[in-house]
Amino acid sequence: MTIHRLRALAAVAALTPALLTAAASTGTPAAAAAAGAGAGATRAFPHHSHYLHDDQTWGGYAVTGGTYTSASSSWTVPALDCAATPDSSVSPWIGIDGFNSQTVEQIGFDQDCTNGVAGYYPWVEMYPADSIYFTKTVKAGDQITAAVSVSGTSFTLTESDATQHWTKTYHESGSYQLSSAEAIVEDLGDGIGPVADFGSISFTDVAFNGSPLESAGTLNSTDLSRGNTQLTDNSRPSGGGYTINWLQS
């Protein structure tokens, strides 16, 4: 059931020089992948099937019960405790689909501990297509805003770091179910790997179709878990936001 996704470096390696040249000249996602290959080469936690499935790789909230054409939220990048989890990962993101469908249109970043060193790596993805990493600086304490919207078959996915003063926007296209919207923290890898100790992340100003999280549809809470062991815990939504807390790896 697991569908493997390759990181940006693998995606670039699969492209011929001619295709890379064409991508660079047109500003397509492939060009962005090529530009981010240097950062992608250091990644140790490849993404796998991103939609919610039996492995319980999601923690946070999804809403269902309507057709969702926009999702947005803000949060503060946490400082990872890599002493507790020296080789681990976790990824906060905003998206549409994935809770009750097998596609996800999403934007966020990886928070990885590699040999005890923390790193933050922003990406955009129209799963099941490969993720595209982009070379922008993200640090603990930064103020992040992310949004996904769709009109017809045209998607706009945007991530901003107000602290580092950058914004990245992607324009993609496709026909999808639009059956859910999410503000999620996800474990990366095949099954449940070690979850980087992120302490807590507070998603604020969560809006789906312009409505606050708690009033945008049927509210679905999910926790990262390994078998019967719960790894994260969600606060009750309030004022269009919630906090997800790390419990154990």
Side-chain angles (χ1 to χ4, degrees), residues 155-177:
F155 283 82
T156 301
L157 305 98
T158 300
E159 189 165 30
S160 299
D161 186 324
T163 309
Q164 303 294 335
H165 306 292
W166 60 259
T167 296
K168 193 74 171 179
T169 299
Y170 285 85
H171 298 284
E172 303 286 352
S173 62
S175 296
Y176 300 96
Q177 293 185 29

Side-chain angles (χ1 to χ4, degrees), residues 111-135:
Q111 304 174 157
D112 298 346
C113 293
T114 305
N115 295 324
V117 178
Y120 304 88
Y121 306 91
W123 52 260
V124 64
E125 182 173 308
M126 302 284 285
Y127 181 77
D130 291 337
S131 52
I132 300 168
Y133 286 80
F134 47 95
T135 51

